[in-house]
């Protein structure tokens, strides 16, 4: 099925035939529109292989960027071209119709199932073009923008580190600072200001950039500008109590100690209140004192914010009180069956088990006796754990092997093999406290994209034979198993060819050997052999020849 001839028009264009079923009837292709070319969207496109879709990808950038290596681009360890893969290289390998439009989506019309777009090219090519695209399914994977917390002067005077263009601008700015400070007419005090680099934000990106900048200065620029080396200083500002606070405390303490040994100034508990052209104002949390910090270049890395088009869409669907788009466990936007959101622009709103506790009890109580026997509960425990993952997490935390022991721990009778609705509620009363939002990382976005592609690949199959957990408030089963994130670990490069890693099983690894693990993992995660070979070649060039300091 699906075979047929192309219809060739006189102008050279062609029309693909619709798919046909076993009886010869036509099956119309579903239109899938993907907004974005980041981790979530690219993972979705690479794993989608169902030929019954027409796919259109819309994004203002026509490439995928391996964002974890952006800090390495800022100091020249890796070239920008080495970490990007043209999105058309990915689409041309697909066996279904897939087109890319380099444009920016500025409005989503849920009622009419359209997205409104405008061209994003900067060149003078005859003005701005606007167009609309219809969809049957919409995948919103637009990522996020930098969060300035409405701090005055951040947009005007600081650099962000979200895009490849950001990394290139930072690299040029670093060289500019050194070249400016090297001019004979610049005073010593002005040289110290120009060569003071400030990083705002003690998360993984800010810490890695500060470490990479320190390596660039000490290993490469110090020999090129020997008279400027004593004047260079790097300051890392963090509003919280520690840097890398999402990591294990052992990694946090090691990173702080290493930065102090390397001469990187750590200012913990310093909240930026204003940024001017030549100084940053901070408020010390401990004393309330306002401090002025002169600087030459500042990088702002304090988290993510929602894009305007997503905020506008959230107003349409009544999610104005949320920070990002809320989806269910199947990545569908709440209240929109044909719109999916994944990556940094969305978060999964995991349903609370206590909201459905009565429905769960009724579903398990097959004889409607008002009391639940253990064997009756055993018939639905798998579906409960699959639908509400916080139950399984809670049982593991309590080191409880079965639900009967959980009931006994909650105050039930040790000899009672039955429970009523009140005991059932009591046993589950603390379960929902285990719920946590997933981090906004490339790892989460990539897994979400692969999961959603698998759902699209098996859409018709699972429509006929649902494989998901029981519907406790309705009949039957959910079509798919809900999305489950599997944490594979995280890295924190700390400079000097040392990296810290937090891996599954509470395994902590820090040092030079972990740096080589970081190299191997990041090389293996490249989306193509082209980028993999380019990145490895850049690392080899860096080891042999050092980093390039040319301002191009």
């Amino acid at each position: 099925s699906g075979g047929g001839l192309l219809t060739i028009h006189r102008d050279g264009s062609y029309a693909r035939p619709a798919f046909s079923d076993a009886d010869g009837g036509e099956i119309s292709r579903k239109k899938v529109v993907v907004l974005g070319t980041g981790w979530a969207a690219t993972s979705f496109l690479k794993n989608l292989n169902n030929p019954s879709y027409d796919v259109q990808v819309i994004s203002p950038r026509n490439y995928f960027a391996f964002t974890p290596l952006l800090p390495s681009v800022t100091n020249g360890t890796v070239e920008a071209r080495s970490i990007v893969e043209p999105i058309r290289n990915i689409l041309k390998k697909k066996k279904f119709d897939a087109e890319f439009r380099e444009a920016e989506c500025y409005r989503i019309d849920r009622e009419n199932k359209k997205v409104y777009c405008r061209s994003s090219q900067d060149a003078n090519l005859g003005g701005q073009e606007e167009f609309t695209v219809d969809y049957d399914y919409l995948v919103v994977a637009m990522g996020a923008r930098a969060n300035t917390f409405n701090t005055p002067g951040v947009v005007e005077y600081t650099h962000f580190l979200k895009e490849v263009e950001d990394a290139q601008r930072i690299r040029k700015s670093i060289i500019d600072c050194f070249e400016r400070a090297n001019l004979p007419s610049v005073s010593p005090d002005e040289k110290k200001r120009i060569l003071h680099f400030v990083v705002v934000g003690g998360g993984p990106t800010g810490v890695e950039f500060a470490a990479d900048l320190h390596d660039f200065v000490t290993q490469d620029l110090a020999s090129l500008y020997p008279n400027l080396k004593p004047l260079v200083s790097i300051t890392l500002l963090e509003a919280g109590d520690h840097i890398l606070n999402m990591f294990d405390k052992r990694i946090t303490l090691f990173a702080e100690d290493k930065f102090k040994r390397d001469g990187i100034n750590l200012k913990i508990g310093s909240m930026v209140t204003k940024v001017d052209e030549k100084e940053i104002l901070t408020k010390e949390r401990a004393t309330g004192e306002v401090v002025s910090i002169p600087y030459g270049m500042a990088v702002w890395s304090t988290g993510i914010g929602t894009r305007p088009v997503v905020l506008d869409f959230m107003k349409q669907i009544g999610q104005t009180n949320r920070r990002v788009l809320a989806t269910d466990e199947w990545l569908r936007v709440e209240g929109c069956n044909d719109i999916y959101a994944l990556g940094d622009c969305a978060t999964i709103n995991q349903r609370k088990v206590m909201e459905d506790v009565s429905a769960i009890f009724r579903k398990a109580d097959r004889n409607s006796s008002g009391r639940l026997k253990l064997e009756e509960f055993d018939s639905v425990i798998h579906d409960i754990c699959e639908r509400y993952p916080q139950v399984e997490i809670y049982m593991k935390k309590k080191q409880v092997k079965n639900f009967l022991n959980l009931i006994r721990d909650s105050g039930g009778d040790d000899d009672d093999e039955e429970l009523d609705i009140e005991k059932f509620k009591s046993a589950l009363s603390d379960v929902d406290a285990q719920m946590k939002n997933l981090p906004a990382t490339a790892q989460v976005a990539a897994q979400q994209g692969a999961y959603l592609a698998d759902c699209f690949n098996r859409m018709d199959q699972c429509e006929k034979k649902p494989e998901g957990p029981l519907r406790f408030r309705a009949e039957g089963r959910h079509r798919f198993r809900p999305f489950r994130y599997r944490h594979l670990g995280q890295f924190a490069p700390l400079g000097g060819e040392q990296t810290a890693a937090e891996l599954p099983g509470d395994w902590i690894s820090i040092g030079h050997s972990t740096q080589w693990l970081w190299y191997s993992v990041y090389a293996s995660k490249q989306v193509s052999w082209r980028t993999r070979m380019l990145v490895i070649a850049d690392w080899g060039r860096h080891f042999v020849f050092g980093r390039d300091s040319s301002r191009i």
Side-chain angles (χ1 to χ4, degrees):
S1 66
L5 299 177
L6 293 178
T7 302
I8 308 296
H9 301 297
R10 290 184 178 180
D11 61 0
S13 62
Y14 62 87
R16 291 182 182 270
F19 274 96
S20 58
D21 57 21
D23 299 325
E26 286 192 353
I27 302 174
S28 61
R29 294 170 180 265
K30 293 288 187 180
K31 298 178 181 178
V32 179
V33 174
V34 181
L35 301 180
T37 52
W39 278 94
T42 302
S43 177
F44 173 76
L45 294 169
K46 282 178 68 66
N47 288 279
L48 186 65
N49 55 34
N50 189 332
S52 63
Y53 297 112
D54 279 333
V55 179
Q56 286 209 44
V57 184
I58 300 170
S59 174
R61 66 182 192 188
N62 66 354
Y63 58 84
F64 163 79
F66 192 87
T67 51
L69 284 177
L70 284 180
S72 296
V73 174
T74 64
N75 67 358
T77 301
V78 172
E79 293 298 324
R81 289 278 180 187
S82 301
I83 67 167
V84 299
E85 180 71 15
I87 200 68
R88 286 186 173 88
N89 284 358
I90 296 173
L91 295 181
K92 71 181 183 182
K93 300 174 184 177
K94 310 310 293 186
K95 296 181 180 179
F96 50 79
D97 284 347
E99 294 183 338
F100 172 77
R101 309 293 187 200
E102 187 180 83
E104 176 188 12
C105 173
Y106 65 88
R107 181 167 171 253
I108 299 172
D109 185 353
R110 173 198 171 193
E111 295 297 326
N112 298 306
K113 303 183 76 170
K114 297 177 182 290
V115 291
Y116 292 79
C117 310
R118 64 169 68 98
S119 58
S120 59
Q121 295 81 19
D122 295 330
N124 183 17
L125 299 174
Q128 197 172 65
E129 295 289 339
E130 294 193 359
F131 59 95
T132 61
V133 180
D134 299 324
Y135 67 84
D136 294 307
Y137 297 109
L138 178 64
V139 179
V140 183
M142 306 174 73
R145 59 178 178 175
N147 192 352
T148 66
F149 299 98
N150 297 318
T151 306
V154 171
V155 175
E156 294 83 357
Y157 301 116
T158 68
H159 294 276
F160 301 124
L161 191 48
K162 291 286 293 178
E163 308 285 349
V164 172
E165 295 82 1
D166 296 333
Q168 291 175 313
R169 280 191 290 267
I170 291 172
R171 183 174 177 179
K172 290 180 180 179
S173 183
I174 294 171
I175 303 302
D176 281 346
C177 288
F178 275 85
E179 293 294 355
R180 178 70 177 222
N182 196 47
L183 297 177
S185 58
V186 178
S187 66
D189 288 341
E190 182 68 1
K191 289 183 179 183
K192 288 189 67 174
R193 182 192 69 80
I194 292 173
L195 294 175
H196 185 195
F197 301 95
V198 177
V199 184
V200 183
T205 301
V207 168
E208 183 175 355
F209 171 73
D212 283 349
L213 177 59
H214 176 266
D215 286 352
F216 189 28
V217 171
T218 57
Q219 297 173 9
D220 300 275
L221 298 180
S223 60
L224 300 176
Y225 305 88
N227 58 316
L228 299 180
K229 179 182 178 182
L231 304 177
V232 179
S233 59
I234 302 172
T235 298
L236 179 62
L237 302 177
E238 168 57 40
D241 296 326
H242 296 281
I243 62 173
L244 299 177
N245 54 20
M246 70 291 299
F247 281 77
D248 186 276
K249 288 184 178 179
R250 290 168 286 180
I251 292 178
T252 296
L253 295 176
F254 180 86
E256 291 176 349
D257 290 341
K258 185 180 185 305
F259 274 20
K260 290 175 183 177
R261 293 194 306 269
D262 290 342
I264 298 175
N265 304 317
L266 284 178
K267 291 181 68 68
I268 305 299
S270 295
M271 184 176 66
V272 176
T273 57
K274 185 180 180 181
V275 181
D276 289 330
E277 186 178 4
K278 295 183 178 181
E279 67 176 7
I280 294 175
L281 298 180
T282 65
K283 184 177 181 180
E284 301 303 311
R285 192 178 60 189
T287 62
E289 178 186 4
V290 176
V291 179
S292 174
I293 303 175
Y295 75 97
M297 189 195 78
V299 173
W300 187 272
S301 178
T302 60
I304 58 174
T306 308
R307 296 188 183 276
V309 60
V310 177
L311 288 173
D312 177 70
F313 178 57
M314 291 168 66
K315 291 179 182 178
Q316 291 184 42
I317 60 177
Q319 292 191 17
T320 53
N321 61 333
R322 303 192 67 91
R323 184 178 59 86
V324 292
L325 272 171
T327 73
D328 62 15
E329 298 88 336
W330 293 267
L331 307 184
R332 293 174 302 196
V333 174
E334 290 187 342
C336 307
N337 288 331
D338 48 14
I339 301 179
Y340 298 82
L342 49 162
D344 293 354
C345 68
T347 186
I348 296 175
N349 189 19
Q350 175 64 50
R351 189 167 181 84
K352 295 181 179 179
V353 68
M354 291 304 292
E355 294 176 354
D356 297 335
V357 64
S358 298
I360 295 171
F361 189 89
R362 288 194 299 270
K363 183 74 72 170
D365 187 16
R366 296 180 178 179
N367 58 9
S368 301
S369 64
R371 293 183 66 83
L372 193 61
K373 294 182 179 180
L374 181 60
E375 56 267 22
E376 290 179 304
F377 181 78
D378 283 343
S379 64
V380 296
I381 182 61
H382 175 74
D383 295 290
I384 292 174
C385 291
E386 191 170 36
R387 180 67 179 86
Y388 311 95
Q390 59 266 38
V391 173
E392 191 171 7
I393 295 173
Y394 183 73
M395 291 176 68
K396 288 181 179 178
K397 182 179 179 181
K398 290 286 188 178
Q399 297 182 339
V400 176
K401 293 183 178 180
N402 56 56
F403 192 72
L404 181 59
N405 290 338
L406 184 63
I407 296 170
R408 289 169 176 166
D409 291 346
S410 64
D413 186 350
D414 289 353
D415 298 325
D416 195 355
E417 294 293 321
E418 294 184 342
L419 69 154
D420 57 20
I421 184 65
E422 295 305 320
K423 286 184 180 179
F424 191 60
K425 289 180 179 179
S426 176
L428 298 177
S429 59
D430 296 329
V431 166
D432 290 324
Q434 309 303 311
M435 297 188 334
K436 294 181 180 179
N437 289 332
L438 295 177
T441 62
Q443 187 177 166
V444 172
Q447 291 186 28
Q448 288 179 337
Y451 164 83
L452 188 61
D454 181 62
C455 293
F456 272 65
N457 290 336
R458 300 183 298 111
M459 188 83 74
D460 294 337
Q461 173 187 341
C462 291
E463 192 73 48
K464 298 174 183 176
K465 296 181 180 180
E467 65 180 21
L470 284 170
R471 296 178 183 269
F472 290 108
R473 288 183 174 270
E475 297 300 320
R477 291 183 172 273
H478 292 277
R479 276 189 304 179
F480 307 105
R481 294 185 177 90
F483 171 74
R484 290 291 176 265
Y485 169 61
R486 182 187 175 197
H487 185 60
L488 301 177
Q490 53 188 346
F491 290 99
L494 302 175
E497 292 298 314
Q498 294 192 66
T499 291
E502 184 176 311
L503 303 173
D506 195 32
W507 182 40
I508 302 299
S509 178
I510 303 173
H512 297 285
S513 60
T514 312
Q515 178 72 27
W516 287 101
L517 176 63
W518 179 87
Y519 283 133
S520 61
V521 169
Y522 276 27
S524 68
K525 293 297 182 182
Q526 298 298 316
V527 296
S528 71
W529 274 103
R530 186 189 73 87
T531 56
R532 185 172 295 119
M533 296 306 296
L534 287 173
V535 166
I536 293 173
D538 285 346
W539 286 335
R541 173 187 51 78
H542 150 60
F543 280 117
V544 176
F545 301 108
R547 303 173 181 90
D548 182 20
S549 62
S550 302
R551 187 195 183 281
I552 301 177

